[in-house]
Amino acid sequence: MKVRFGPAGRPINFSGNAKDACAYIKAEGLDAYEYQATYGVKISQSSAKDLKSSSKSENVLVSMHAPYYINLSSNKDDVIERSIQRLVQSAKAAEWMGAYRIVFHPGFYTTYTPEEALIRCKNAVTDILDELDSLGVKDFCFAPETTGKKSQLGNLDEIIELCRSFDKFQPTVDFAHVHARNGGGIASRDDYAGIFEKLENELGINCLHSHFTHIEYTDAGERKHHILGDHNYGPPLKPFIEEIIECGWKVTVICESPLIDQDAIVMKDLYKDLVKLE
């Protein structure tokens, strides 16, 4: 299956355990699920393994969003150490649940230049990988995400550099964040094509984990996510889907609008309609 769509977290009207979410998502006609560990990795090993089993039987691709409280470029060493441990915990849980990507926000520039912040982040990543190696955790793939605020480490070039520097790293492109960070920088299919072309040229990939929603922004970047039905905000959806179809990549699209699963269905329906037209 080349292109998959799914929600960032449990579907809106789903009230069961995470291990049962895949069956609900499959029944909605979706085929991806990003498990949210945004406030800490709290899932037990047994529940995570149940989620893995369910994802396989339902053919729903699982990814994980690591905790929000991560800053690998902090000017405080204790913050970096706690961030390292949260990502180590995330990788352990991701291995249990069979998550194919561990999405995380790399950090903030704080008092550093972007170049200095990236160096601190890379040093922390080296420590993470060393610790995982010592623990025997092997089945994981970190997916640093493009960030939406200009104060954050994580523009597209920085994400590419992180992924180029380490094994078991692949990018997460949040197209809304790219749009917001660049002051509305995505307006057409050519803008999307430029991102895919850059990833292919610099990382040699043809597979992408991505996030999508409409977004409100200020001069500082991201402000608020909006539903896809609110056309006052971008980035535009149809050119995005057209570019996915044209480029032929394997793409997972995780919906982060306030209507996480319902808008994921909107995206998948548009994808199916446009494929028919080809």
Side-chain angles (χ1 to χ4, degrees), residues 85-272:
Q85 291 311 312
R86 288 182 180 120
L87 284 171
V88 168
Q89 292 167 359
S90 297
K92 288 164 67 176
E95 187 173 70
W96 296 337
M97 71 173 64
Y100 96 115
R101 295 284 189 272
I102 305 161
V103 179
F104 71 98
H105 304 152
F108 289 82
Y109 298 129
T110 59
T111 56
Y112 299 111
T113 66
E115 294 76 18
E116 291 168 338
L118 186 59
I119 289 170
R120 285 182 71 79
C121 181
K122 285 183 176 183
N123 290 338
V125 168
T126 298
D127 291 343
I128 291 166
L129 296 178
D130 287 347
E131 183 161 350
L132 289 172
D133 185 56
S134 70
L135 292 170
V137 180
K138 294 180 167 48
D139 191 11
F140 64 89
C141 180
F142 285 114
E145 177 185 347
T146 53
T147 49
K149 293 184 172 68
K150 294 179 182 178
S151 59
Q152 290 175 292
L153 176 67
N155 65 31
L156 185 59
D157 287 328
E158 289 163 343
I159 295 302
I160 287 172
E161 176 58 24
L162 277 175
C163 294
R164 188 163 41 206
S165 300
F166 298 100
D167 292 336
K168 297 189 175 183
F169 265 63
Q170 293 289 335
T172 296
V173 176
D174 186 315
F175 288 94
H177 286 169
V178 174
H179 181 70
R181 188 170 182 135
N182 293 294
I186 300 177
S188 68
R189 185 171 151 190
D190 283 347
D191 295 323
Y192 289 114
I195 293 170
F196 280 96
E197 184 176 351
K198 186 179 183 71
L199 292 168
E200 183 175 13
N201 289 342
E202 301 201 24
L203 293 176
I205 60 174
N206 60 1
C207 175
L208 181 66
H209 188 76
S210 69
H211 290 172
F212 195 90
T213 184
H214 283 169
I215 197 164
E216 182 179 348
Y217 59 87
T218 67
D219 288 343
E222 172 190 13
R223 181 181 181 191
K224 183 181 178 182
H225 290 187
H226 287 267
I227 63 172
L228 297 184
D230 190 341
H231 300 295
N232 293 312
Y233 302 97
L237 175 60
K238 186 178 178 185
F240 172 55
I241 302 297
E242 288 173 337
E243 181 54 32
I244 287 175
I245 294 168
E246 176 65 25
C247 75
W249 287 29
K250 289 180 68 174
V251 181
T252 301
V253 185
I254 297 298
C255 181
E256 287 199 318
S257 92
L259 299 175
I260 49 175
D261 56 320
Q262 295 168 26
D263 273 346
I265 293 168
V266 169
M267 289 195 285
K268 184 165 185 180
D269 286 346
L270 178 59
Y271 169 76
K272 290 191 294 187

Side-chain angles (χ1 to χ4, degrees), residues 13-72:
N13 294 318
F14 173 72
S15 57
N17 294 322
K19 63 185 178 64
D20 300 317
C22 289
Y24 188 98
I25 287 166
K26 180 66 173 289
E28 288 188 300
L30 299 170
D31 38 34
Y33 170 45
E34 189 150 290
Y35 173 83
Q36 302 287 290
T38 46
Y39 300 107
V41 181
K42 299 173 183 176
I43 193 168
S44 68
Q45 184 173 356
S46 61
S47 292
K49 287 186 173 180
D50 286 343
L51 174 55
K52 180 178 181 178
S53 176
S54 174
S55 72
K56 286 186 174 180
S57 63
E58 301 294 347
N59 190 21
V60 171
L61 186 64
V62 171
S63 53
M64 170 196 278
H65 199 302
Y68 283 155
Y69 306 123
I70 286 171
N71 186 355
L72 297 179

